[in-house]
Amino acid sequence: MNTSSRSHERLLMDGQEMARTLTRISHEILERNKGIEGLALVGIRTGGVFLAQRLVSRIQQIEKRDVPLGELDITLYRDDLSIRKDQPEIRKTTIPFHISDLKIVLVDDVLFTGRTIRAALDGLMDLGRPAEIQLAVLVDRGHRQLPIRANYVGKSIPTSREENVQVFFEELGQDDRVSILTS
């Protein structure tokens, strides 16, 4: 990140707060689903994948059993694909289990308009018929354009449309944190 944009960064969560939040969400997932029976997590590329991996790790520590984990690329399901100027980068969807009849917890980093989640729902439905789809997000920043609401929210942050909520991950060589960036 260049220094000019860094000077307009307002920290919302540091790495410790992110870790505590993910631990809380893990417990909420287990409580709502009464354990891990019939449960799987699917992260939306890219930030949702890192968060889903961390949630699965915490859930496995608590339950002492494996939890299926998948990664979903929604690029081809986006509703703005035809109006984008740049060529989309298509990444791999890896869901090494059948999703039919499972309770799927879809994981993403930031919930904004709801359009990413709609695309993810379309992508999941093309793979099977889950018993239920739940949504876990680290940050809900409002401004919904579709009637979508998360079941598990790390932090609700009212923002303006001009602000950009950015989640930084140590998996990408950054310090774990969530910030609002303004130009």
Side-chain angles (χ1 to χ4, degrees):
M1 177 187 297
N2 68 38
T3 55
S4 64
S5 66
R6 190 147 176 95
S7 65
H8 302 292
E9 178 179 336
R10 183 168 47 112
L11 185 67
L12 296 176
M13 298 172 83
D14 62 16
Q16 281 188 320
E17 189 173 357
M18 277 178 66
R20 282 192 303 272
T21 298
L22 291 173
T23 298
R24 175 180 50 80
I25 290 172
S26 300
H27 284 283
E28 290 175 0
I29 289 169
L30 290 171
E31 184 177 332
R32 177 183 173 139
N33 294 288
K34 298 175 176 56
I36 61 170
E37 197 62 41
L39 185 70
L41 275 72
V42 174
I44 299 172
R45 291 206 175 270
T46 299
V49 171
F50 300 139
L51 295 173
Q53 290 167 342
R54 295 179 190 193
L55 288 169
V56 162
S57 176
R58 284 167 170 78
I59 290 170
Q60 288 174 338
Q61 288 173 354
I62 296 164
E63 293 291 309
K64 309 292 189 240
R65 291 178 40 214
D66 287 341
V67 180
L69 172 64
E71 302 176 6
L72 180 65
D73 178 48
I74 58 145
T75 304
L76 296 178
Y77 293 94
R78 294 179 56 95
D79 62 3
D80 63 351
L81 201 56
S82 63
I83 60 174
R84 294 180 69 145
K85 292 180 176 124
D86 55 336
Q87 199 64 338
E89 182 181 340
I90 299 172
R91 297 184 180 104
K92 189 174 181 182
T93 290
T94 307
I95 301 181
F97 51 88
H98 296 287
I99 70 167
S100 292
D101 301 320
L102 291 178
K103 292 179 279 185
I104 302 293
V105 178
L106 188 61
V107 182
D108 202 11
D109 50 2
V110 179
L111 177 57
F112 184 32
T113 63
R115 292 180 181 275
T116 296
I117 303 307
R118 189 227 30 101
L121 293 170
D122 288 348
L124 282 176
M125 298 309 282
D126 277 354
L127 298 172
R129 189 173 192 274
E132 181 179 356
I133 300 174
Q134 302 167 19
L135 177 60
V137 297
L138 185 62
V139 176
D140 182 346
R141 62 172 291 192
H143 303 285
R144 218 71 79 239
Q145 295 174 349
L146 299 172
I148 290 176
R149 184 178 67 122
N151 303 88
Y152 314 100
V153 177
K155 194 169 208 168
S156 291
I157 305 292
T159 62
S160 75
R161 290 193 169 276
E162 292 73 38
E163 294 174 314
N164 181 26
V165 175
Q166 182 75 43
V167 182
F168 299 89
F169 295 98
E170 63 183 21
E171 290 89 342
L172 297 175
Q174 304 155 332
D175 292 333
D176 279 346
R177 68 187 186 282
V178 179
S179 295
I180 291 182
L181 305 176
T182 54
S183 49

